[in-house]
Amino acid sequence: PRVELAWAMKAHQHAQVYFNLISSVDPKFLHLTKVDERIYREFRESFRELRVDVLEPEELKSEAAK
């Protein structure tokens, strides 16, 4: 139980740091990995019309979205 608690506490600390980072930097200047641009480019090739600013769960579940 102590190891699990220590792991959970460490994970929480990492999550707080990550959240603070992504919340305080303008997303267009934020690069989390060396392949961010490639990931985004390939995402957009697959999901050209998907609006990521507002995601509607029902739209994602529609037949057209599938």
Side-chain angles (χ1 to χ4, degrees):
R2 287 184 181 179
V3 172
E4 291 174 358
L5 179 60
W7 181 88
M9 290 173 63
K10 196 65 163 175
H12 179 72
Q13 289 172 345
H14 282 282
Q16 284 183 314
V17 169
Y18 183 78
F19 180 78
N20 289 339
L21 174 66
I22 63 174
S23 299
S24 64
V25 176
D26 187 344
K28 64 183 167 187
F29 300 116
L30 184 63
H31 297 282
L32 300 174
T33 71
K34 294 179 181 180
V35 293
D36 285 354
E37 295 301 322
R38 179 178 171 203
I39 292 169
Y40 184 74
R41 186 175 58 249
E42 290 183 17
F43 172 81
R44 277 292 160 207
E45 286 175 7
S46 299
F47 304 99
R48 288 185 178 95
E49 303 298 321
L50 182 63
R51 289 185 54 204
V52 294
D53 56 339
V54 179
L55 293 177
E56 296 291 335
E58 293 308 313
E59 287 180 27
L60 296 175
K61 295 177 185 177
S62 72
E63 283 302 316
K66 292 179 186 177

